[in-house]
Amino acid sequence: MTIRINPKGYQPTKKERIEHNMDNFEQKVGKVLDHYNAGEISEKQFISEIRVSHGNYKRNQRTIYNSED
């Protein structure tokens, strides 16, 4: 008897991927805000980190919406 295993494993749905992407963005912004409030980074660094996080978020959203499920 042969047992077939799905080589891809669990594939999250589009909705789950979108929620994960939003949660990830919120976590990154929260960490940067904590560092900024603690005085560990300057205002320019804070703005830069937010822009990078937002750019990654937008790119990931485009990838998710353009993927075929």
Side-chain angles (χ1 to χ4, degrees), residues 19-66:
E19 289 174 357
H20 176 74
N21 192 35
M22 283 191 267
D23 292 342
N24 194 25
F25 174 69
E26 290 172 0
Q27 287 176 356
K28 288 182 180 184
V29 170
K31 284 182 184 178
V32 172
L33 187 59
D34 289 344
H35 288 295
Y36 178 67
N37 288 336
E40 297 172 2
I41 60 174
S42 68
E43 185 176 351
K44 285 185 178 183
Q45 287 173 312
F46 172 73
I47 292 170
S48 175
E49 290 291 331
I50 295 297
R51 285 183 177 159
V52 168
S53 295
H54 189 251
N56 290 342
Y57 168 78
K58 289 192 306 186
R59 186 189 70 238
N60 290 339
Q61 288 296 85
R62 277 193 304 273
T63 303
I64 291 168
Y65 281 115
N66 291 333

